[in-house]
Amino acid sequence: MALKIVKGSIDRMFDKNLQDLVRGIRNHKEDEAKYISTCIDEIKQELKQDNIAVKANAVCKLTYLQMLGYDVSWAAFNIVEVMSSSKFTYKRIGYLAASQCFHESTDVIMLTTNQIRKDLSSPNQYDTGVALTGLSCFVTPDLARDLANDIMTLMSHTKPYIRKKAVLIMYKVFLKYPESLRPAFPRLKEKLEDPDPGVQSAAVNVICELARRNPKNYLSLAPLFFKLMTSSTNNWVLIKIIKLFGALTPLEPRLGKKLIEPLTNLIHSTSAMSLLYECVNTVIAVLISLSSGMPNHSASIQLCVQKLRILIEDSDQNLKYLGLLAMSKILKTHPKSVQSHKDLILQCLDDKDESIRLRALDLLYGMVSKKNLMEIVKKLMLHVDKAEGTTYRDELLTKIIDICSQSNYQYITNFEWYISILVELTRLEGTRHGHLIASQMLDVAIRVKAIRAFAVAQMATLLDNAHLLTGNTQRNGICEVLYAAAWICGEFSEHLEEPMATLEAMLRPKVATLPGHIQAVYVQNAAKLFATVLRGQEGAPADSTVAQETSQLLIDRLPLFVQSSNLEVQERASCILQLVKYIQKLQQKDVEVAEEVTALFAGELNPVAPKAQKKVPVPEGLDLDVWINEPPSGSESEDEGRKSKGKAVFAKDESRHTKPRYTEVDEKELAKRREVRKAEQANNPFYIKASPSSQKVYQDGVGVEHIPVVQIDLSVPLKVPGMPMSDQYVKLEEERRERNKADKKKKKDKKKREKGEKGRRRRGDSGPESEEDITPAHMVDIVTEEMPENALPSDDDDKDPNDPHKALNIDLDKPLADSEKKLPVRSHRPDEVLKSPMEDRQVVEVVPEPKKKTGKEKKEKKDRKKSKEKKKKHKQEEEEDLMGAGSEEPVQPEETKEVAAPPPASTPEASDLDFWLSNAPVPSNPQAAAAPASTPRTASGMAAVAPDSEPEEAKDTEPEETKSSTHKKKKQKKEKKKKKHHHNHSDGAGDESVQNGTVEEEEPLPPMSNYALLAENSYIKMMKQDADKVCDIQGNLQDGSQVVVSVIFENKCDSFIKSMEFNVLDSLNSKLQRPDGAGPHDGLIVPFQLPPGISNEARFIFSVQNIVMPQKLKGTLTFIVKTDDSSTHEKLDFKLHFTCTSYLITTPCYSDAYSKLLESGDLKGCSLKLEGVNQPFHHLLARICFHHHFSVVERIDSCASMYSRSIQGHHMCLLVKTADQTVSIDAKCDEPGLLGNVLDEIKLTFSQC
Amino acid sequence: MIKAILIFNNHGKPRLSKFYEHYSEDTEQQIIRETFHLVSKRDENVCNFLEGGMLIGGSENKLIYRHYATLYFVFCVDSSESELGILGLIQVFVETLDKCFENVCELDLIFHVDKVHNILAEMVMGGMVLETNMNEIITQVDAQNKMEKSEAGIAGAPARAVSAVKNMNLPEMPRNINIGDISIKVPNLPSFK
């Protein structure tokens, strides 16, 4: 034997191994791809060989090629083979390959379940370890569900090496299978106090990761973490815990107060920078969470800022970076403390390191004031010019705009300066932020009325020089600016000095190369300009030919746009073209048209807040989901198409294009409403009042007289020649300020002189001018954005509904219910039932199951009320007498148990937290820390009494519900497994081997199904309808006498089938389980309806007393067939056949337990021979596994041992051997009758194929 | 959470890639290229943190990297990881490699990427830090290697001999990333036990 192996390996040793492959690739630098493709061919050959060592070598090479970017998913099955090798060497190679290239949609993953389970329970800790590591990379929801229990067991393994891996992988399991969180959590919590530091660290890691996403569920762990923080010396653990506290403090300010002192101590004492930094970070989080007013706050802030300054000044760039990062967090709440370090931050702007410059930029946001804004922006503009690389420049650009526009342009004193900055920014090459600049231009032009004239002039220049922006294809992003320019010039065309020139610029042929949405704006605004031009020309005494020429210009140029491929452009252009043609006709008749044309575009546009539409409250009594008219069938898709198109057109800047016109409402009504609203707002303390001027704007449609009075400061010229103007503004601004100051001084001096000697002390007023002294150049009126009346303030606009962590938002303090003690099983079927399309259209029938649920819910509600009252009482008592409260403990949790989601403070542990947070003194040294830590312990000790007594109680109160729900869950697990087999038939790739785990052959298995035809309606053609039933019968492990039957109902006709009722004539031995109160002959209502062509599955539970014999039950299904004009009652008879196989449950068994079982001698034997079976052995095994619910224990060549268990706990063992088309099965079972029947059924299975 | 661990050389050739989230092979290569692009253009004396590229997770994530001789070690992490902690972890990783390969150099990583994976698996599991104590990591790695050797037994002998022969005519094994030579300022993280 050994010789053979050696011989084999000598043959192999000239095979390429990984090193040879790498060497080969390095030697074929020129034709690497070609070389690798020959290597892949070799690998394919190697994978076909039987020798597992060769395969492992091939897989190892594939792992390397995967890293180089080659898709190796085709070898997934071989990887599974290598994974299941018994040798650690190969197993490790297999798991490594799997972890590199398996993912959720790899089909063969489902073949690995049993193999992984086997490895997890391997006596060799490294087999287990390697399996855990691999699993952590490719765990799927199915694997998580099937293996959660095994992994949970491993969390208490004797070896810390396994424990820490098991603890760590639980996080992945939770993510994929959230139901496992609650049952596993107590054990996870235990691991926080594991004697091994590695395990402890892993547990901290997992809980921190969980708590980061849903912090409020983990508040009750704060005392435990606090203890760890004061006792641990492991910096990794400390960092994690401190980070966790940073996430918890916003929810519980009292926790922050408690934390400050130990954290400050750590800051002072630690030498590890990483720890120091995290401490500072958390202290900052604490300070943010605490409301101001605590006396020693400023000391803490000072400490933080001071430490951060040290970091920033450090020569180590990493520390500098982190210091700036943390500084930006302080900035949000304590800008003053940061502002004193402005010098340092401005210095960082010049750092050679881009990361650091970016961080410094973030900080600048908070540093600006009216005084220094221009100066800072000037500096940034310099950086923009110097910057290399578009990312940094884009970042600068957004920062400039952020800084300037922050808090409603609070710091801008001169909007002309801002507009010119924006115009300068348009000259950036290759920026992606054209739309950002554009929206700023629009925003400023619309909201700052005083600036319009200036803005329009600038925009006209931009339009004139459009070729500069569009000339280079790289500058595509920037042409968005033209969108804004065209719109501003059109909308505010009355400010244009030379509207004709601008009109001409907007109609140049080059415009047709711009993106469609910009062209559309061009066309529309050309029309607006046209109106303005006409009015100007007609007003003048000049002859009408000029006006006609203008029309002719449009008529000449517009056809270009009519040909546009963009529908929007086309439509607008042809519309306007016809209009202009008509106008020209009128002009030729010497009719004055300017008035009418202008009227087309009359009216003021008010800015609307971006979320305004969303915030319009739904009026009472209006149900938006109700059909206004019954929808004609088939028209929906068309509707949708139109809708989505509409969206695309108006998606851009919808806030600016919605013209709020109130034509339907007459003036009186409007006034009345306004009065009411005003009164409301005046009484509402939460209403943020806008400046009075902005209110006025809203009131007047045209509002000419309300355009704010512009106090034109003569020192600021309205037009500055040349392009780069912003600098000149800076200069001008400085001069202006100087002059203002001088003026003031003069005034003051005058006053002083008048007042005499009193003001003497204040002479030499050279100190820095205060903010208030800077008067804006323009009295600007910044119009606030409109919001609908009664807008509902809501902050949940930005939540991502797809976050996987949402599912992990589970209350962990609630004591485990009886049904949760074991790991629950993912429920998926009920959802499907709910999704049945019928339910959208018709009223849901009352089905037994939901009824139960709603009843339960009601009960829960009641309970909740009760417990709330009790809780209140309880809390008070606790405050008065902590020990006395303990006596009530045992009662209370029973009440809270049924509460769906009690607020965190209500659970016993949370009240411990309250106690811990409120009473315990802050420990100043580790010894003192022991005291508070032990108090909550005793309290939780008292609470721990409660759950012990509670299961009984729970059973008493609602035995039915809890029991049946456990059953249901178990059953669903089974079902899901089955279902998967069913679904995957089309794939045909031996998925059935899931259950036996021995997958060495590659040939695909023939499809198999456990679903058998139950009955079919005979008069198909006559009635044009048909219901066809297939069923699958499964035993239920949970209760020794229950069998679950899944029936698929399929509607084959083209009418609705509803009101299905399923009934079975009970026999002495088996009975259909009916809901309470139903008679023994009542049918069960099938909880769904079937539209044509739809199939759905329902389950029925039968109780069986004797499982030794197969049995048959007669039944009927009654249903109503609903056609368009009539409905008929139909009925279908069927026979339900309960085979003995259906009482068996696939139960994995390990070889040692199996051999013990055989040795015990309790089992009686029986045997069977099958002749002429000409299918491969693994097919045969798969068949037995699949149809008869066995699992393979061990397989050696053409011999396999298999195991199964009946629902009543009978063990059944098979030894299957094959030789020359003869299969002999030796079977042993402790119930000979059952065994005989099962064997007969196996025989039948093979005789059928 | 650690999202990905990449090792590539000064020319962007991947030496190890470990993604803890699934991406297609093409995306993985793109990420490696993009990361290399971001990292390689940075000077030696700038900070080791980088705002993440477009591909992995975007702004939530950071790239934390170290450059040792010819190799870049890049960790892509999210906000739950301590930046300095990860830098320390990279140091532990490299020191462990140094111990396991006895003066590690790029060639060791090129020819024994599987071993590097095995070492990494003892440090980081599924994107979470498993062990930071170098001695513990080495003990576990050694124990597994010993197991592997005992499994190979006599059968492994000829293969080992052949590979020894093959290695003989390997062109000089340049020990070019002897990390002992380049002094790296590790932010003092004294007690990662």
Side-chain angles (χ1 to χ4, degrees):
Chain A
M1 187 69 178
L3 197 70
K4 200 178 149 198
I5 294 172
V6 172
K7 189 174 163 286
S9 64
I10 288 176
D11 290 341
R12 269 189 1 244
M13 73 192 177
F14 295 105
D15 278 353
K16 242 181 238 154
N17 63 12
L18 174 63
Q19 281 75 33
D20 299 325
L21 173 77
V22 174
R23 201 170 293 130
I25 293 174
R26 286 162 71 82
N27 290 337
H28 290 79
K29 286 226 164 77
E30 295 79 36
D31 51 348
E32 195 181 290
K34 197 177 149 204
Y35 178 75
I36 289 177
S37 78
T38 58
C39 286
I40 289 180
D41 289 342
E42 277 170 29
I43 289 170
K44 280 183 180 159
Q45 287 306 315
E46 284 168 24
L47 287 177
K48 279 185 190 148
Q49 291 184 36
D50 279 336
N51 191 327
I52 192 73
V54 177
K55 278 188 186 174
N57 183 42
V59 166
C60 186
K61 287 190 276 184
L62 283 178
T63 312
Y64 182 79
L65 293 178
Q66 194 272 343
M67 181 181 80
L68 297 184
Y70 290 85
D71 176 24
V72 298
S73 54
W74 50 269
F77 190 77
N78 303 106
I79 292 172
V80 175
E81 283 179 310
V82 176
M83 274 162 76
S84 51
S85 158
S86 57
K87 273 195 180 176
F88 173 74
T89 316
Y90 305 141
K91 194 184 284 298
R92 181 154 81 164
I93 292 172
Y95 272 105
L96 174 61
S99 73
Q100 290 294 90
C101 65
F102 280 11
H103 50 93
E104 266 186 33
S105 48
T106 307
D107 343 326
V108 292
I109 274 194
M110 61 178 84
L111 298 180
T112 59
T113 317
N114 272 6
Q115 179 58 42
I116 295 174
R117 182 173 285 140
K118 206 170 131 197
D119 288 335
L120 289 182
S121 57
S122 159
N124 181 346
Q125 62 166 335
Y126 292 112
D127 281 351
T128 314
V130 101
L132 284 171
T133 308
L135 189 61
S136 71
C137 291
F138 57 76
V139 61
T140 61
D142 288 337
L143 281 178
R145 190 195 56 231
D146 295 341
L147 297 172
N149 259 326
D150 304 68
I151 299 171
M152 242 170 94
T153 326
L154 290 180
M155 280 165 78
S156 332
H157 199 270
T158 51
K159 299 215 167 80
Y161 178 74
I162 300 299
R163 281 209 302 274
K164 70 179 177 190
K165 287 196 169 195
V167 167
L168 215 50
I169 203 177
M170 278 318 277
Y171 177 66
K172 295 278 176 168
V173 173
F174 295 151
L175 274 187
K176 299 290 176 187
Y177 178 48
E179 289 88 333
S180 62
L181 178 57
R182 270 175 59 75
F185 196 72
R187 196 171 288 184
L188 185 60
K189 212 166 114 186
E190 266 169 40
K191 296 296 143 200
L192 283 176
E193 294 176 293
D194 196 279
D196 184 85
V199 181
Q200 201 184 35
S201 159
V204 170
N205 221 332
V206 170
I207 293 185
C208 288
E209 208 55 58
L210 289 169
R212 199 162 66 93
R213 309 296 184 149
N214 299 300
K216 73 170 190 315
N217 300 334
Y218 299 86
L219 261 180
S220 60
L221 290 180
L224 188 55
F225 276 115
F226 193 84
K227 194 180 126 205
L228 276 179
M229 185 178 83
T230 43
S231 59
S232 176
T233 51
N234 182 335
N235 278 352
W236 276 99
V237 172
L238 279 176
I239 289 175
K240 282 279 171 196
I241 293 176
I242 289 169
K243 265 184 170 289
L244 173 67
F245 277 134
L248 292 183
T249 43
L251 302 167
E252 180 54 270
R254 285 177 297 173
L255 177 63
K257 276 182 202 163
K258 219 175 158 66
L259 281 172
I260 281 210
E261 194 177 324
L263 285 180
T264 324
N265 289 343
L266 265 178
I267 291 177
H268 284 301
S269 64
T270 185
S271 59
M273 275 302 184
S274 50
L275 186 57
L276 169 85
Y277 171 68
E278 295 305 337
C279 286
V280 170
N281 250 334
T282 299
V283 170
I284 294 168
V286 168
L287 293 177
I288 291 171
S289 73
L290 289 179
S291 49
S292 57
M294 278 245 308
N296 44 359
H297 261 189
S298 53
S300 306
I301 292 174
Q302 278 317 309
L303 178 68
C304 288
V305 174
Q306 190 191 329
K307 285 281 173 188
L308 290 180
R309 185 168 177 116
I310 295 173
L311 290 186
I312 297 172
E313 282 172 335
D314 198 289
S315 60
D316 185 338
Q317 298 279 322
N318 290 330
L319 299 183
K320 196 182 283 255
Y321 174 88
L322 293 175
L324 290 169
L325 196 64
M327 205 65 121
S328 66
K329 285 178 196 154
I330 302 187
L331 183 72
K332 281 173 204 139
T333 46
H334 302 88
K336 285 258 164 64
S337 335
V338 183
Q339 267 160 8
S340 54
H341 299 283
K342 200 175 89 187
D343 53 324
L344 191 63
I345 287 153
L346 284 175
Q347 205 179 308
C348 290
L349 264 190
D350 296 323
D351 200 283
K352 58 190 176 309
D353 188 346
E354 191 179 297
S355 302
I356 287 175
R357 287 199 305 260
L358 285 174
R359 291 281 74 80
L361 269 181
D362 281 346
L363 280 171
L364 267 189
Y365 183 81
M367 313 243 105
V368 293
S369 61
K370 281 185 180 169
K371 203 176 89 187
N372 63 12
L373 176 71
M374 283 184 164
E375 175 197 341
I376 287 180
V377 171
K378 186 181 164 192
K379 192 160 182 178
L380 292 183
M381 290 298 283
L382 280 180
H383 277 284
V384 171
D385 288 339
K386 276 191 291 181
E388 297 154 19
T390 47
T391 27
Y392 179 56
R393 212 171 35 195
D394 281 353
E395 192 61 32
L396 274 171
L397 192 154
T398 43
K399 274 283 134 45
I400 291 176
I401 288 179
D402 276 356
I403 288 174
C404 292
S405 62
Q406 68 173 309
S407 35
N408 218 1
Y409 306 104
Q410 187 191 344
Y411 299 116
I412 295 186
T413 50
N414 186 336
F415 275 93
E416 289 184 12
W417 164 81
Y418 186 44
I419 293 271
S420 37
I421 287 283
L422 289 177
V423 171
E424 268 175 55
L425 286 177
T426 61
R427 289 180 297 139
L428 279 186
E429 259 179 68
T431 179
R432 289 182 293 115
H433 292 298
H435 64 276
L436 192 63
I437 303 176
S439 69
Q440 279 294 301
M441 287 174 168
L442 286 169
D443 200 41
V444 173
I446 293 169
R447 293 174 55 189
V448 186
K449 293 188 173 179
I451 204 65
R452 282 180 190 167
F454 179 77
V456 165
Q458 290 294 314
M459 294 305 121
T461 327
L462 262 187
L463 283 180
D464 201 35
N465 298 324
H467 58 278
L468 291 179
L469 299 178
T470 52
N472 194 333
T473 42
Q474 268 194 341
R475 296 175 150 202
N476 265 341
I478 206 68
C479 59
E480 288 290 330
V481 170
L482 294 175
Y483 177 96
W487 192 87
I488 291 172
C489 283
E491 185 63 24
F492 307 120
S493 49
E494 69 269 18
H495 298 289
L496 271 177
E497 290 194 350
E498 291 173 68
M500 191 58 204
T502 311
L503 181 62
E504 205 273 330
M506 275 167 79
L507 292 170
R508 283 181 199 149
K510 200 106 198 253
V511 173
T513 59
L514 290 173
H517 65 281
I518 300 179
Q519 284 187 55
V521 169
Y522 262 72
V523 171
Q524 183 73 13
N525 286 288
K528 291 184 197 169
L529 264 179
F530 175 61
T532 318
V533 171
L534 274 190
R535 202 172 48 184
Q537 287 167 342
E538 283 185 4
D543 58 343
S544 62
T545 49
V546 189
Q548 282 187 37
E549 270 167 28
T550 319
S551 309
Q552 192 53 47
L553 176 75
L554 259 77
I555 291 167
D556 289 345
R557 299 282 177 85
L558 278 175
L560 180 67
F561 297 101
V562 176
Q563 292 160 10
S564 168
S565 59
N566 186 303
L567 279 182
E568 180 73 10
V569 180
Q570 210 183 81
E571 190 182 357
R572 289 188 187 200
S574 49
C575 200
I576 290 166
L577 181 62
Q578 291 312 315
L579 186 71
V580 175
K581 278 182 180 163
Y582 179 67
I583 289 168
Q584 201 188 26
K585 246 185 231 164
L586 290 178
Q587 281 172 336
Q588 279 158 1
K589 290 178 196 160
D590 275 339
V591 183
E592 294 240 329
V593 286
E595 200 94 333
E596 277 91 345
V597 177
T598 323
L600 280 176
F601 305 107
E604 182 88 358
L605 291 184
N606 289 327
V608 178
K611 285 174 190 163
Q613 179 73 52
K614 231 198 299 181
K615 302 224 167 171
V616 178
V618 178
E620 242 174 83
L622 173 65
D623 184 358
L624 292 173
D625 296 329
V626 166
W627 286 106
I628 297 170
N629 296 313
E630 274 306 308
S633 56
S635 68
E636 277 155 272
S637 59
E638 199 186 319
D639 253 7
E640 250 164 40
R642 208 181 306 150
K643 245 181 248 165
S644 64
K645 187 191 146 211
K647 231 183 193 169
V649 172
F650 294 109
K652 285 263 167 185
D653 287 299
E654 44 191 322
S655 59
R656 315 223 148 50
H657 285 259
T658 22
K659 294 197 180 191
R661 296 184 202 270
Y662 297 92
T663 44
E664 308 88 66
V665 192
D666 63 308
E667 269 309 307
K668 265 187 199 165
E669 176 66 20
L670 207 68
K672 214 163 79 190
R673 277 192 207 166
R674 212 177 292 134
E675 283 308 311
V676 172
R677 195 173 64 245
K678 265 187 187 165
E680 223 169 65
Q681 287 167 358
N683 295 331
N684 186 353
F686 300 110
Y687 182 77
I688 302 165
K689 287 161 184 97
S691 67
S693 50
S694 67
Q695 286 281 318
K696 271 185 227 154
V697 173
Y698 176 75
Q699 288 168 16
D700 291 273
V702 186
V704 186
E705 60 280 338
H706 287 288
I707 291 179
V709 185
V710 183
Q711 297 180 340
I712 297 175
D713 191 320
L714 287 178
S715 66
V716 184
L718 279 177
K719 203 176 172 190
V720 183
M723 278 290 256
M725 298 172 302
S726 57
D727 289 357
Q728 300 177 23
Y729 280 106
V730 179
K731 230 183 196 171
L732 288 171
E733 181 71 13
E734 272 163 18
E735 284 168 16
R736 192 178 66 86
R737 280 181 198 172
E738 281 300 309
R739 213 164 334 112
N740 276 356
K741 229 197 278 179
D743 284 352
K744 269 182 201 155
K745 230 180 181 175
K746 257 187 226 160
K747 272 187 196 166
K748 250 183 206 163
D749 285 352
K750 251 187 209 165
K751 272 186 193 166
K752 268 182 205 161
R753 239 170 275 147
E754 284 165 10
K755 285 189 180 173
E757 299 298 306
K758 263 187 184 174
R760 272 287 146 83
R761 266 174 299 162
R762 280 194 169 186
R763 214 178 10 169
D765 180 20
S766 58
E769 55 182 332
S770 65
E771 287 280 289
E772 291 81 355
D773 286 346
I774 305 169
T775 49
H778 291 188
M779 289 308 291
V780 285
D781 168 30
I782 301 177
V783 184
T784 48
E785 290 167 327
E786 274 182 7
M787 278 295 241
E789 302 163 29
N790 317 322
L792 304 165
S794 58
D795 300 321
D796 53 350
D797 295 333
D798 311 319
K799 278 195 182 156
D800 175 16
N802 296 327
D803 187 0
H805 296 280
K806 248 188 171 174
L808 285 181
N809 192 353
I810 297 168
D811 184 14
L812 295 163
D813 295 331
K814 190 169 68 166
L816 285 180
D818 195 27
S819 58
E820 285 178 315
K821 290 273 158 71
K822 281 186 196 125
L823 214 55
V825 171
R826 169 172 298 227
S827 64
H828 82 133
R829 212 42 66 76
D831 297 344
E832 273 180 22
V833 172
L834 275 177
K835 273 177 213 153
S836 144
M838 275 307 288
E839 293 190 349
D840 293 337
R841 310 205 173 177
Q842 288 178 8
V843 186
V844 188
E845 277 185 277
V846 186
V847 284
E849 279 185 43
K851 208 178 190 178
K852 238 188 243 170
K853 254 187 201 163
T854 48
K856 200 175 164 186
E857 271 169 17
K858 266 182 203 160
K859 200 177 168 196
E860 277 179 5
K861 261 187 197 164
K862 261 188 206 163
D863 280 356
R864 214 176 300 163
K865 263 187 202 163
K866 250 192 244 165
S867 65
K868 251 186 200 164
E869 285 167 16
K870 276 209 175 167
K871 253 174 263 151
K872 261 188 200 164
K873 216 163 99 191
H874 176 68
K875 236 184 186 171
Q876 283 169 354
E877 261 173 57
E878 200 177 34
E879 274 163 20
E880 286 159 19
D881 175 15
L882 211 105
M883 292 312 288
S887 59
E888 236 198 50
E889 266 331 311
V891 194
Q892 216 235 308
E894 282 159 22
E895 293 292 332
T896 46
K897 198 180 74 70
E898 286 303 313
V899 179
S906 66
T907 57
E909 277 200 49
S911 40
D912 286 347
L913 180 72
D914 279 346
F915 170 67
W916 177 73
L917 287 168
S918 53
N919 294 359
V922 179
S924 49
N925 56 40
Q927 267 95 14
S934 61
T935 353
R937 267 258 182 104
T938 52
S940 65
M942 290 188 302
V945 184
D948 289 347
S949 62
E950 138 209 335
E952 282 177 28
E953 175 73 17
K955 267 181 196 159
D956 288 346
T957 49
E958 18 170 56
E960 273 306 305
E961 268 89 348
T962 39
K963 239 190 212 168
S964 64
S965 72
T966 20
H967 292 161
K968 237 173 270 157
K969 276 172 185 161
K970 284 285 166 190
K971 175 177 75 194
Q972 280 152 4
K973 179 179 181 177
K974 289 272 139 52
E975 280 310 315
K976 183 135 194 224
K977 235 182 191 167
K978 282 289 144 210
K979 188 75 181 173
K980 214 176 292 137
H981 291 300
H982 193 60
H983 281 323
N984 283 314
H985 293 319
S986 50
D987 301 343
D991 48 296
E992 276 73 22
S993 340
V994 178
Q995 282 153 332
N996 58 30
T998 54
V999 271
E1000 280 164 48
E1001 284 83 358
E1002 305 164 8
E1003 309 104 286
L1005 288 167
M1008 287 186 265
S1009 171
N1010 254 3
Y1011 288 82
L1013 187 68
L1014 189 61
E1016 212 169 348
N1017 214 319
S1018 54
Y1019 39 87
I1020 311 165
K1021 280 163 194 166
M1022 270 175 64
M1023 297 306 297
K1024 286 195 175 172
Q1025 64 83 30
D1026 174 40
D1028 141 14
K1029 296 179 39 177
V1030 217
C1031 88
D1032 169 33
I1033 305 171
Q1034 268 276 315
N1036 188 329
L1037 181 67
Q1038 206 53 41
D1039 191 315
S1041 60
Q1042 283 198 341
V1043 172
V1044 179
V1045 180
S1046 317
V1047 182
I1048 294 178
F1049 298 89
E1050 188 183 347
N1051 183 353
K1052 282 203 205 156
C1053 64
D1054 38 17
S1055 325
F1056 283 117
I1057 294 181
K1058 60 176 209 171
S1059 306
M1060 285 187 278
E1061 219 175 293
F1062 181 90
N1063 201 2
V1064 169
L1065 272 179
D1066 290 353
S1067 72
L1068 276 179
N1069 193 18
S1070 5
K1071 290 186 173 69
L1072 175 62
Q1073 285 203 347
R1074 299 178 165 89
D1076 297 334
H1081 303 294
D1082 293 353
L1084 275 181
I1085 293 163
V1086 181
F1088 48 76
Q1089 305 175 331
L1090 287 176
I1094 298 295
S1095 61
N1096 206 339
E1097 186 172 355
R1099 287 177 309 273
F1100 304 96
I1101 302 169
F1102 288 80
S1103 57
V1104 183
Q1105 279 173 349
N1106 183 354
I1107 63 161
V1108 174
M1109 298 288 286
Q1111 23 203 311
K1112 275 181 186 165
L1113 290 179
K1114 277 188 180 173
T1116 27
L1117 178 80
T1118 55
F1119 49 90
I1120 296 174
V1121 181
K1122 193 168 184 278
T1123 50
D1124 285 344
D1125 39 20
S1126 68
S1127 57
T1128 46
H1129 266 276
E1130 293 301 337
K1131 145 182 158 171
L1132 177 65
D1133 290 319
F1134 58 86
K1135 266 184 194 163
L1136 212 51
H1137 188 63
F1138 284 22
T1139 58
C1140 284
T1141 293
S1142 56
Y1143 304 133
L1144 295 182
I1145 300 165
T1146 314
T1147 319
C1149 181
Y1150 299 114
S1151 46
D1152 42 355
Y1154 188 77
S1155 52
K1156 259 184 212 158
L1157 191 64
L1158 288 179
E1159 277 163 22
S1160 70
D1162 300 339
L1163 311 180
K1164 295 174 182 76
C1166 186
S1167 64
L1168 169 77
K1169 258 201 166 58
L1170 301 167
E1171 301 281 346
V1173 178
N1174 53 354
Q1175 31 181 302
F1177 189 54
H1178 73 284
H1179 282 196
L1180 185 113
L1181 290 185
R1183 236 167 231 290
I1184 298 175
C1185 285
F1186 186 74
H1187 289 296
H1188 300 285
H1189 311 165
F1190 278 84
S1191 63
V1192 173
V1193 180
E1194 212 167 22
R1195 181 185 158 187
I1196 302 151
D1197 296 329
S1198 59
C1199 179
S1201 47
M1202 308 176 89
Y1203 176 80
S1204 185
R1205 237 184 79 183
S1206 77
I1207 51 173
Q1208 290 178 353
H1210 306 293
H1211 300 286
M1212 193 169 288
C1213 307
L1214 298 184
L1215 183 65
V1216 187
K1217 289 184 226 164
T1218 179
D1220 304 331
Q1221 304 205 347
T1222 313
V1223 178
S1224 65
I1225 300 177
D1226 288 309
K1228 282 192 168 180
C1229 178
D1230 43 8
E1231 176 54 65
L1234 180 66
L1235 181 61
N1237 285 322
V1238 170
L1239 286 184
D1240 287 346
E1241 282 160 18
I1242 293 179
K1243 200 172 172 181
L1244 191 70
T1245 311
F1246 285 98
S1247 65
Q1248 279 168 350
C1249 55
Chain B
M1 287 281 280
I2 299 170
K3 305 288 171 146
I5 296 173
L6 306 173
I7 305 177
F8 42 74
N9 71 358
N10 286 347
H11 306 289
K13 282 246 190 267
R15 294 306 178 210
L16 174 128
S17 66
K18 181 91 211 168
F19 290 88
Y20 293 103
E21 275 166 14
H22 176 256
Y23 297 98
S24 73
E25 271 77 12
D26 289 341
T27 325
E28 284 185 5
Q29 292 304 307
Q30 219 175 322
I31 291 172
I32 295 173
R33 272 198 302 275
E34 191 194 49
T35 313
F36 169 70
H37 195 70
L38 283 173
V39 166
S40 63
K41 68 179 180 200
R42 292 173 64 84
D43 291 336
E44 275 305 309
N45 48 0
V46 298
C47 76
N48 299 103
F49 314 121
L50 229 110
E51 250 78 326
M54 288 298 135
L55 282 170
I56 309 185
S59 57
E60 241 272 271
N61 295 337
K62 272 205 184 80
L63 296 175
I64 297 173
Y65 74 97
R66 269 181 182 280
H67 189 195
Y68 292 97
T70 57
L71 291 178
Y72 285 99
F73 289 72
V74 185
F75 280 46
C76 178
V77 303
D78 69 12
S79 60
S80 74
E81 299 294 339
S82 150
E83 291 87 347
L84 295 174
I86 294 292
L87 274 183
L89 187 70
I90 299 179
Q91 180 75 1
V92 172
F93 184 31
V94 177
E95 281 179 28
T96 311
L97 289 177
D98 197 45
K99 285 260 169 66
C100 291
F101 287 107
E102 289 161 19
N103 270 343
V104 68
C105 72
E106 189 182 342
L107 280 179
D108 292 322
L109 270 70
I110 296 173
F111 286 106
H112 302 285
V113 64
D114 49 341
K115 285 183 186 159
V116 182
H117 269 297
N118 294 336
I119 294 167
L120 187 60
E122 295 303 323
M123 297 180 65
V124 180
M125 192 176 121
M128 289 195 281
V129 178
L130 178 68
E131 184 59 66
T132 51
N133 182 343
M134 185 162 62
N135 294 331
E136 173 69 18
I137 298 167
I138 292 176
T139 316
Q140 301 299 352
V141 170
D142 284 350
Q144 291 177 51
N145 289 343
K146 207 177 277 172
M147 244 181 87
E148 207 166 62
K149 258 180 206 152
S150 74
E151 275 183 352
I154 40 168
R160 279 202 297 277
V162 168
S163 91
V165 170
K166 280 175 184 165
N167 278 341
M168 272 195 328
N169 40 16
L170 237 192
E172 68 318 324
M173 275 259 207
R175 300 268 138 195
N176 52 358
I177 62 159
N178 182 350
I179 59 156
D181 293 350
I182 301 162
S183 63
I184 301 127
K185 192 189 172 203
V186 188
N188 27 352
L189 299 161
S191 51
F192 281 119
K193 277 168 203 152

